[in-house]
Amino acid sequence: MPQRDRLGAEGQGKEIIYDGVSPVYLIGLGAVWEGVARGALNAAIAHTTSFIHKDKNKSLSDYQAIRQELGAAKVLVETLRPWRNELAAKLDVLWRAGKPQSEILIPLTEFKVHAAEVANKVAATALTVTGGYGYHRGPIERTYRDARAAIAMGPSNVIARDWIGKALVGLPLELFYEGGE
């Protein structure tokens, strides 16, 4: 490979991934799942406020149980924005100081895990409160499928929680191969 096409020097792959690619990828992935969660919530709100039960002349949003489900979903979604903004600010500080952004790799991983789980819970709520409508091809069905992908998209939440646990007990993350760095 020509030198001009290389990113970094020979043998620097892990450092490039840890210090540049992974941190930006993780916050971006978490932001995507935040958007999926917000989209599912907005679609559920739009449907529950506009769908009218003809026999009762009441919208779905007139039912307390529906509003409580939407309220719980809103609370979950709102946990993401401040956390994302805080992590983005920390990434900027590290970048400006010339420090490796991997210093906050575990908090970024935690954010990705939480955002994926929030997206799943909110999408499931959207299906619940919209009834059969949510299962038709459309925004709610699509966000539900997308949110399910969030759990498996690398690093999968299962693997990511293991990394978080390893960090908690002082074990190496073993991101690249079994046995350590």
Side-chain angles (χ1 to χ4, degrees), residues 44-77:
I45 292 166
H47 180 74
T48 59
T49 56
S50 66
F51 182 84
I52 306 294
H53 280 145
K54 304 269 190 259
D55 57 335
K56 303 273 189 198
N57 199 29
K58 290 174 86 173
S59 73
L60 289 174
S61 63
D62 286 331
Y63 294 93
Q64 181 181 11
I66 300 293
R67 293 190 308 269
Q68 287 179 343
E69 291 292 317
L70 292 172
K74 171 74 166 149
V75 169
L76 284 174
V77 170

Side-chain angles (χ1 to χ4, degrees), residues 1-180:
M1 168 184 307
Q3 186 65 30
R4 72 178 190 287
D5 293 340
R6 284 187 172 198
L7 181 59
E10 187 74 29
Q12 273 191 309
K14 285 193 294 189
E15 290 78 18
I16 291 168
I17 290 172
Y18 273 141
D19 298 333
V21 176
S22 288
V24 173
Y25 171 75
L26 287 168
I27 198 166
L29 203 52
V32 166
W33 305 134
E34 177 185 353
V36 167
R38 286 185 188 283
L41 179 60
N42 290 339
I45 292 166
H47 180 74
T48 59
T49 56
S50 66
F51 182 84
I52 306 294
H53 280 145
K54 304 269 190 259
D55 57 335
K56 303 273 189 198
N57 199 29
K58 290 174 86 173
S59 73
L60 289 174
S61 63
D62 286 331
Y63 294 93
Q64 181 181 11
I66 300 293
R67 293 190 308 269
Q68 287 179 343
E69 291 292 317
L70 292 172
K74 171 74 166 149
V75 169
L76 284 174
V77 170
E78 293 306 326
T79 65
L80 297 171
R81 180 181 294 145
W83 196 2
R84 175 180 38 83
N85 288 342
E86 176 187 332
L87 289 169
K90 286 180 179 179
L91 284 172
D92 286 346
V93 167
L94 290 169
W95 182 76
R96 282 193 296 272
K99 293 183 177 178
Q101 292 179 319
S102 60
E103 287 185 19
I104 61 168
L105 191 61
I106 293 300
L108 289 163
T109 303
E110 294 166 352
F111 175 68
K112 181 274 178 189
V113 168
H114 183 62
E117 291 173 358
V118 166
N120 271 268
K121 288 177 184 171
V122 173
T125 295
L127 282 176
T128 298
V129 301
T130 60
Y133 168 80
Y135 288 87
H136 292 119
R137 271 213 180 295
I140 294 170
E141 169 266 342
R142 176 61 189 257
T143 57
Y144 184 78
R145 286 187 296 123
D146 289 347
R148 291 305 304 155
I151 297 297
M153 187 163 289
S156 75
N157 280 19
V158 173
I159 298 296
R161 282 192 299 268
D162 185 46
W163 294 348
I164 294 162
K166 284 180 174 182
L168 286 171
V169 299
L171 293 175
L173 297 183
E174 300 171 353
L175 298 179
F176 293 96
Y177 54 87
E178 192 64 34

